[in-house]
Amino acid sequence: MLFLARMDVVFPDSMDPEVMADFQVKEKAYSADLQSRGIMKAIWRVVGEYANYSIFDVDDHDELHAILSGFPMFKYMNVKITALAKHPNALEYYLKG
Amino acid sequence: MLFLARMDVVFPDSMDPEVMADFQVKEKAYSADLQSRGIMKAIWRVVGEYANYSIFDVDDHDELHAILSGFPMFKYMNVKITALAKHPNALEYYLKG
Amino acid sequence: MLFLARMDVVFPDSMDPEVMADFQVKEKAYSADLQSRGIMKAIWRVVGEYANYSIFDVDDHDELHAILSGFPMFKYMNVKITALAKHPNALEYYLKG
Amino acid sequence: MLFLARMDVVFPDSMDPEVMADFQVKEKAYSADLQSRGIMKAIWRVVGEYANYSIFDVDDHDELHAILSGFPMFKYMNVKITALAKHPNALEYYLKG
Amino acid sequence: MLFLARMDVVFPDSMDPEVMADFQVKEKAYSADLQSRGIMKAIWRVVGEYANYSIFDVDDHDELHAILSGFPMFKYMNVKITALAKHPNALEYYLKG
Amino acid sequence: MLFLARMDVVFPDSMDPEVMADFQVKEKAYSADLQSRGIMKAIWRVVGEYANYSIFDVDDHDELHAILSGFPMFKYMNVKITALAKHPNALEYYLKG
Amino acid sequence: MLFLARMDVVFPDSMDPEVMADFQVKEKAYSADLQSRGIMKAIWRVVGEYANYSIFDVDDHDELHAILSGFPMFKYMNVKITALAKHPNALEYYLKG
Amino acid sequence: MLFLARMDVVFPDSMDPEVMADFQVKEKAYSADLQSRGIMKAIWRVVGEYANYSIFDVDDHDELHAILSGFPMFKYMNVKITALAKHPNALEYYLKG
Amino acid sequence: MLFLARMDVVFPDSMDPEVMADFQVKEKAYSADLQSRGIMKAIWRVVGEYANYSIFDVDDHDELHAILSGFPMFKYMNVKITALAKHPNALEYYLKG
Amino acid sequence: MLFLARMDVVFPDSMDPEVMADFQVKEKAYSADLQSRGIMKAIWRVVGEYANYSIFDVDDHDELHAILSGFPMFKYMNVKITALAKHPNALEYYLKG
């Protein structure tokens, strides 16, 4: 079951650069794990913004909320999700790699 | 080069059902061709709406505009695109199939 | 898996009252069936508007889109859905009857 | 008399984690009491956000405002309410449990 | 129990002036009845717009929706309501006449 | 000459509770004086929000701005006003008490 | 007492050019009369739009609504007004001619 | 060449009252100079808000930006401008004094 | 003096294809003339939309409004303009060809 | 391949004037380099705002995101981009210098 998510990150101006770098390292590891487990099917940078669009494949809403709220930087993110269904014109449900 | 597109379709209330069905047949063929040529990498239905999110892989803006404005139902669509770049946390640029 | 939906209905001004009444009869039957099957858990009128909030319990997105787009008045509705997860403070997942 | 409420929580970045945890404990107790007294009929998490949708059953507006402004975290919440009436298509006024 | 309502009227351009005038006569009578029964406590014109703000005093949401949807021009109105509670600084709950 | 005002209050998170309480005492006295002088005809709490709708009866704009900007908590308020005229369907210009 | 008004004109596409021209002639006469009587202090075209900003000097809201709703093209206009007070930095209340 | 400007002022909560008063004195002098030189043709207070509408008469955009960004309080202002042209119904280009 | 304009075109659904084509031919000629006279410095298609961004170099607002309202398709366009000044970091005022 | 960008700068109120000046010097150098390399084709000041519109000519999205996120003041900027294609009415793809 697919969801499109848009995540915008806003760090407080006073955040220490090392703290920020540490968040980014943890975020990368968390994100890599989700991708390798087939839960996060894609993540792209929105050009010009500290934001991403990503695709999640989950079994239910409780799982998705646990995943999203588990992001190390969740406290600093605005997340909006859109539920996606199969499109009648789609040849395949997912992207071609 | 990837773009995320959201397309919302609004048909006039007075449109004849056969005309509408004909548009949908042509749209499906156009969309299938784009997918088989690797230009449209994905298309999903937005749940509850006559709308889709789709992913396009094109070489430049003139090509993308020609593709979008060539949709048989383009006259009845509102299209908004978002330019996507590689995300530093992405294991792969595209979705895993 | 729960979704909150808000549906706003806009009929064209020129619609014949009998056609409208017929739509409403069909809508009521469709809605009753969804409720009796436990798919639509609730539907409430938004005070002062031709709109409702409703709660759906479905297994996946394809099922939900099929249900929503199957409403007899779907063509005249704007539908926005919100995915709901269990809240840590909730004593029960659903409403008490 | 039913109301749908959406509550979004925004804590200041500088809030001490223990203070935040204490707020959340008090909030949970307050919320449980409202549910056990039949005032809060449901509360759900909005997936991906620090927000909830909830259903309140109250006798009048003064009671509802007292309840909402009595939430321990009220100072940090944006609350928007929608008055709900019985829908002509509803088999029951409340959700089926 | 008080509600503030804002009602915006939009007539289709093609409406016959006599039909419009008839609507306005019926609307005036309906509105006068609500005022004389103490249900509509006030109605004011929004300067420069075909719109009003009005105050309703009702016992519950079903009653309010019945009243609002009973306006002869309801089909042509956008209605937004706001629930009002007693303000701690108010000397009286209602306006002074 | 009537105006509807909506006032939303936002205190900085760091405000000392005693300072806040002092503001609220001064606000209450200021508001009571306006009501007893017949300038503020009504004030209601917006349910679930730190906000009010109120009705002002003034002779001109300079007087109204002086009154609004004289609120002890003006610095922390967002104020939006709407000019009200007599409605052709109104039995009385003001609310019935 | 001054008000700033913004008026946007939207004519239905089907309006006959002669009808439109007739409206514009009447509008010009109406507007000239208001200016010569000192009620409309200024009117400017918003560059690129079928819209104007104008300044009205009136005694009360009922007068202003009567003036605005008396525009020959009122039915086709969206009007938004803003109440203006004397600014503490203004050397004169009105524009210098 | 005329522009309508709307300027909203937002001072940080922590600003020292003397600093604020000093800004206001400088702003008044700057504004008076612009008026006496015929550049700022009018300035009005938006009722209920720390905001103004003003009219500027300048020769080009570089001059206007220099003037606006030269306001002592520019750092704390949100400025939105609208280009104004002569209206076909205007008896005079400017306001009557 | 430069302006950025965004123009969105909306044709009525009922417009005859030949009428539309005729508008487009006239629009192209009008636009070419403005470019050859150095008034319209650039025009670009917004990808995926029946819209353009364009750059105008004019002497004053009356000239600009005359040019914009002279577009053959002006009746079907929404136009929003933004006044542009020289940027302190710009090496040249205009684009490099 | 062209993009229009709008960049709005918001510095924290507490920023030291020397730090701000240093940012502006670095920004100017970065911007000049992009212009001299033909990547940034134009940059204009939005009149009355700490914002610019600029035109970028890049080969792909990854390059554009690297350029935009490399601005010394990127952390303090909100950036929105619009993809531009050749317009059928354009005599030349770029501006005339």
Side-chain angles (χ1 to χ4, degrees):
Chain A
M1 206 174 60
L2 295 184
F3 286 91
L4 174 69
R6 179 179 167 128
M7 307 181 191
D8 289 78
V9 180
V10 182
F11 283 130
D13 184 57
S14 59
M15 184 181 276
D16 188 284
E18 287 182 37
V19 172
M20 193 185 295
D22 185 52
F23 268 122
Q24 289 166 333
V25 166
K26 287 178 180 151
E27 188 87 356
K28 187 164 195 162
Y30 186 85
S31 176
D33 178 60
L34 289 174
Q35 290 171 77
S36 60
R37 288 163 56 203
I39 291 169
M40 185 192 264
K41 308 299 284 187
I43 178 168
W44 301 287
R45 171 67 75 218
V46 178
V47 175
E49 306 186 50
Y50 195 177
N52 72 68
Y53 272 107
S54 43
I55 306 283
F56 290 87
D57 185 1
V58 293
D59 289 332
D60 64 41
H61 292 170
D62 295 344
E63 180 192 357
L64 181 57
H65 187 70
I67 287 166
L68 292 171
S69 59
F71 270 95
M73 290 164 33
F74 180 69
K75 182 182 173 183
Y76 305 107
M77 302 193 315
N78 292 310
V79 180
K80 292 289 169 190
I81 63 167
T82 303
L84 302 174
K86 191 168 191 319
H87 193 286
N89 296 355
L91 299 187
E92 301 177 61
Y93 199 23
Y94 291 115
L95 281 185
K96 296 177 57 153
Chain B
M1 207 175 57
L2 296 184
F3 285 91
L4 174 70
R6 179 177 167 128
M7 308 179 190
D8 288 78
V9 180
V10 182
F11 284 130
D13 183 57
S14 59
M15 184 181 276
D16 188 285
E18 287 182 39
V19 173
M20 193 186 295
D22 185 51
F23 268 123
Q24 289 167 334
V25 166
K26 285 179 181 152
E27 188 86 357
K28 186 164 195 160
Y30 187 84
S31 177
D33 177 60
L34 289 175
Q35 290 172 76
S36 61
R37 288 163 57 206
I39 290 170
M40 184 192 264
K41 307 299 284 188
I43 178 168
W44 301 288
R45 172 66 74 218
V46 178
V47 176
E49 307 186 49
Y50 196 176
N52 72 66
Y53 273 106
S54 44
I55 306 282
F56 290 88
D57 185 2
V58 294
D59 287 333
D60 65 41
H61 292 169
D62 295 344
E63 180 193 358
L64 180 57
H65 187 71
I67 288 166
L68 293 172
S69 58
F71 271 95
M73 290 162 34
F74 180 69
K75 183 182 174 183
Y76 305 107
M77 300 193 316
N78 292 310
V79 181
K80 291 290 170 188
I81 63 167
T82 304
L84 302 174
K86 190 169 191 320
H87 194 286
N89 296 354
L91 299 187
E92 301 177 61
Y93 199 24
Y94 290 114
L95 282 183
K96 294 177 60 155
Chain C
M1 207 174 59
L2 297 184
F3 285 90
L4 175 70
R6 180 179 166 129
M7 308 180 190
D8 289 77
V9 180
V10 182
F11 283 131
D13 184 57
S14 59
M15 184 181 277
D16 189 283
E18 287 181 39
V19 173
M20 194 186 295
D22 185 51
F23 268 123
Q24 289 166 334
V25 167
K26 286 179 181 150
E27 188 86 357
K28 187 164 195 161
Y30 187 85
S31 177
D33 178 60
L34 289 174
Q35 290 172 77
S36 60
R37 288 163 57 204
I39 290 169
M40 185 193 263
K41 308 297 284 188
I43 178 168
W44 300 288
R45 171 66 74 220
V46 178
V47 176
E49 306 186 51
Y50 196 177
N52 72 66
Y53 272 106
S54 44
I55 306 282
F56 291 87
D57 185 2
V58 294
D59 287 333
D60 64 41
H61 292 170
D62 295 343
E63 179 193 357
L64 180 57
H65 188 71
I67 288 166
L68 293 171
S69 60
F71 270 94
M73 292 162 34
F74 180 69
K75 182 181 173 183
Y76 304 107
M77 302 192 316
N78 291 311
V79 181
K80 291 289 171 189
I81 64 168
T82 304
L84 301 174
K86 189 168 192 319
H87 193 284
N89 296 353
L91 300 188
E92 301 177 60
Y93 198 24
Y94 289 114
L95 281 183
K96 295 177 59 153
Chain D
M1 207 174 60
L2 296 184
F3 285 92
L4 174 69
R6 180 180 165 126
M7 307 180 191
D8 289 78
V9 181
V10 182
F11 283 130
D13 183 57
S14 59
M15 184 181 277
D16 188 284
E18 288 182 37
V19 172
M20 193 185 294
D22 185 52
F23 268 122
Q24 289 166 332
V25 167
K26 286 178 180 150
E27 188 86 357
K28 187 164 194 161
Y30 186 85
S31 177
D33 177 60
L34 290 174
Q35 290 172 77
S36 59
R37 288 163 57 203
I39 291 169
M40 184 192 264
K41 308 299 283 187
I43 178 168
W44 300 288
R45 172 66 75 219
V46 178
V47 175
E49 306 187 48
Y50 195 176
N52 71 68
Y53 272 106
S54 42
I55 306 283
F56 290 88
D57 186 0
V58 294
D59 289 332
D60 65 41
H61 292 170
D62 295 344
E63 180 192 358
L64 180 57
H65 187 71
I67 287 166
L68 293 171
S69 60
F71 270 94
M73 290 163 34
F74 180 69
K75 183 182 173 182
Y76 305 107
M77 302 192 317
N78 292 310
V79 180
K80 292 289 170 189
I81 64 167
T82 304
L84 302 175
K86 189 168 192 320
H87 193 285
N89 297 354
L91 300 188
E92 300 177 62
Y93 199 23
Y94 291 114
L95 281 185
K96 296 177 59 154
Chain E
M1 207 174 59
L2 297 184
F3 285 91
L4 174 70
R6 179 179 167 128
M7 306 180 191
D8 289 77
V9 181
V10 182
F11 283 131
D13 184 57
S14 60
M15 184 181 276
D16 189 284
E18 287 182 38
V19 173
M20 193 186 294
D22 186 52
F23 268 122
Q24 289 166 334
V25 167
K26 285 178 182 151
E27 188 86 356
K28 186 165 195 159
Y30 186 84
S31 177
D33 178 60
L34 290 175
Q35 289 171 78
S36 60
R37 287 163 58 204
I39 290 169
M40 185 193 263
K41 309 298 285 188
I43 178 168
W44 301 288
R45 172 66 75 221
V46 178
V47 176
E49 307 186 48
Y50 196 177
N52 71 67
Y53 273 107
S54 43
I55 306 283
F56 290 88
D57 186 1
V58 293
D59 287 333
D60 64 41
H61 292 168
D62 296 343
E63 180 193 357
L64 180 57
H65 187 70
I67 288 166
L68 292 171
S69 58
F71 271 94
M73 290 162 35
F74 180 70
K75 183 182 173 183
Y76 305 107
M77 301 193 315
N78 292 310
V79 181
K80 291 289 170 189
I81 64 168
T82 304
L84 301 174
K86 190 170 191 317
H87 193 285
N89 296 355
L91 300 188
E92 301 177 61
Y93 198 26
Y94 289 116
L95 281 185
K96 295 178 58 154
Chain F
M1 206 175 60
L2 296 185
F3 285 91
L4 174 70
R6 180 181 165 126
M7 307 180 192
D8 288 78
V9 181
V10 182
F11 284 130
D13 183 57
S14 59
M15 185 181 276
D16 189 284
E18 288 181 37
V19 173
M20 194 186 294
D22 185 52
F23 268 122
Q24 289 167 334
V25 167
K26 286 179 180 151
E27 189 87 357
K28 186 163 195 162
Y30 186 85
S31 177
D33 178 60
L34 289 174
Q35 289 171 77
S36 59
R37 288 164 57 204
I39 290 169
M40 184 193 265
K41 308 298 283 187
I43 178 168
W44 300 288
R45 172 66 75 220
V46 178
V47 176
E49 306 186 48
Y50 196 176
N52 72 67
Y53 272 105
S54 43
I55 306 283
F56 291 88
D57 185 1
V58 294
D59 288 332
D60 65 40
H61 292 170
D62 295 343
E63 179 193 357
L64 180 57
H65 187 71
I67 287 166
L68 293 172
S69 59
F71 270 94
M73 291 163 33
F74 180 69
K75 183 182 172 183
Y76 304 107
M77 301 192 318
N78 292 310
V79 181
K80 291 289 170 189
I81 64 168
T82 304
L84 302 174
K86 189 168 191 321
H87 193 284
N89 295 355
L91 300 187
E92 300 177 63
Y93 198 21
Y94 290 114
L95 280 184
K96 295 178 59 155
Chain G
M1 207 174 58
L2 296 184
F3 286 91
L4 174 70
R6 180 178 166 128
M7 306 180 191
D8 288 79
V9 181
V10 182
F11 284 131
D13 185 56
S14 59
M15 185 181 276
D16 188 285
E18 287 181 40
V19 174
M20 194 186 295
D22 186 52
F23 268 122
Q24 289 166 334
V25 167
K26 286 179 181 152
E27 188 86 356
K28 186 165 194 161
Y30 187 84
S31 177
D33 178 60
L34 289 174
Q35 289 171 79
S36 60
R37 289 163 58 204
I39 290 169
M40 186 193 263
K41 308 298 284 187
I43 179 169
W44 300 288
R45 172 65 75 219
V46 178
V47 175
E49 307 186 48
Y50 196 176
N52 72 67
Y53 273 106
S54 43
I55 306 282
F56 291 88
D57 186 1
V58 294
D59 287 333
D60 64 42
H61 292 169
D62 295 343
E63 180 192 357
L64 180 57
H65 188 70
I67 288 166
L68 292 171
S69 58
F71 270 93
M73 290 162 35
F74 180 69
K75 183 182 174 183
Y76 305 107
M77 301 192 315
N78 293 310
V79 181
K80 292 289 170 189
I81 64 168
T82 304
L84 301 174
K86 190 169 191 318
H87 193 284
N89 296 354
L91 299 187
E92 300 178 61
Y93 198 25
Y94 290 116
L95 281 184
K96 296 177 59 152
Chain H
M1 206 174 60
L2 296 185
F3 286 91
L4 175 69
R6 179 179 167 128
M7 307 180 191
D8 289 77
V9 180
V10 182
F11 283 130
D13 183 58
S14 60
M15 184 181 276
D16 189 284
E18 287 181 38
V19 173
M20 192 186 294
D22 185 52
F23 268 122
Q24 289 166 334
V25 167
K26 285 178 181 152
E27 188 87 357
K28 186 165 195 160
Y30 187 84
S31 177
D33 178 61
L34 290 174
Q35 289 171 77
S36 60
R37 288 163 57 202
I39 291 169
M40 184 192 264
K41 307 300 283 188
I43 178 168
W44 300 288
R45 171 67 74 219
V46 178
V47 175
E49 306 186 49
Y50 195 177
N52 72 68
Y53 272 107
S54 43
I55 306 284
F56 290 87
D57 186 0
V58 294
D59 288 332
D60 64 41
H61 292 170
D62 295 344
E63 180 193 357
L64 180 57
H65 187 71
I67 287 166
L68 292 172
S69 60
F71 271 94
M73 290 164 32
F74 180 69
K75 182 182 173 183
Y76 305 107
M77 301 192 318
N78 292 310
V79 181
K80 292 288 169 190
I81 64 167
T82 304
L84 302 174
K86 191 169 190 320
H87 193 285
N89 295 355
L91 299 188
E92 301 177 62
Y93 198 24
Y94 289 115
L95 281 183
K96 296 179 57 155
Chain I
M1 206 175 58
L2 296 184
F3 286 91
L4 174 70
R6 180 179 166 127
M7 308 180 190
D8 288 78
V9 180
V10 182
F11 283 131
D13 184 57
S14 59
M15 184 180 276
D16 188 283
E18 286 181 39
V19 173
M20 193 185 296
D22 186 51
F23 268 121
Q24 289 166 333
V25 167
K26 286 179 180 151
E27 188 86 357
K28 186 164 195 162
Y30 187 84
S31 176
D33 178 60
L34 289 175
Q35 289 171 79
S36 61
R37 288 163 57 205
I39 291 169
M40 184 193 264
K41 308 299 284 188
I43 178 169
W44 300 287
R45 172 66 75 219
V46 178
V47 176
E49 307 186 48
Y50 195 176
N52 72 67
Y53 272 106
S54 44
I55 306 281
F56 290 88
D57 186 1
V58 294
D59 288 332
D60 64 42
H61 293 169
D62 295 344
E63 180 192 358
L64 180 57
H65 187 71
I67 288 166
L68 292 172
S69 58
F71 271 94
M73 289 162 35
F74 180 69
K75 182 182 174 183
Y76 304 107
M77 301 192 315
N78 292 310
V79 180
K80 292 288 170 190
I81 64 167
T82 304
L84 302 174
K86 190 170 191 319
H87 193 286
N89 296 354
L91 299 187
E92 300 178 60
Y93 198 24
Y94 290 115
L95 282 183
K96 296 178 58 155
Chain J
M1 206 175 59
L2 295 185
F3 286 91
L4 175 69
R6 180 180 165 128
M7 306 180 192
D8 289 78
V9 180
V10 182
F11 283 131
D13 183 58
S14 60
M15 184 181 277
D16 188 285
E18 287 182 39
V19 172
M20 192 186 295
D22 185 51
F23 268 122
Q24 289 166 334
V25 167
K26 286 179 180 150
E27 188 86 358
K28 186 164 196 162
Y30 187 85
S31 176
D33 178 61
L34 290 174
Q35 290 171 78
S36 60
R37 288 163 57 203
I39 291 169
M40 184 192 265
K41 307 299 284 187
I43 178 168
W44 301 287
R45 172 66 75 219
V46 178
V47 175
E49 306 185 50
Y50 195 177
N52 72 67
Y53 272 106
S54 44
I55 306 282
F56 290 87
D57 186 0
V58 294
D59 289 332
D60 64 43
H61 291 170
D62 295 344
E63 179 193 357
L64 180 57
H65 187 71
I67 287 166
L68 292 172
S69 59
F71 270 94
M73 289 163 33
F74 181 68
K75 182 182 173 182
Y76 305 107
M77 301 192 317
N78 292 310
V79 181
K80 292 288 170 191
I81 64 168
T82 304
L84 302 173
K86 190 169 191 320
H87 194 285
N89 295 355
L91 300 187
E92 301 177 60
Y93 198 25
Y94 290 115
L95 282 184
K96 296 178 57 155

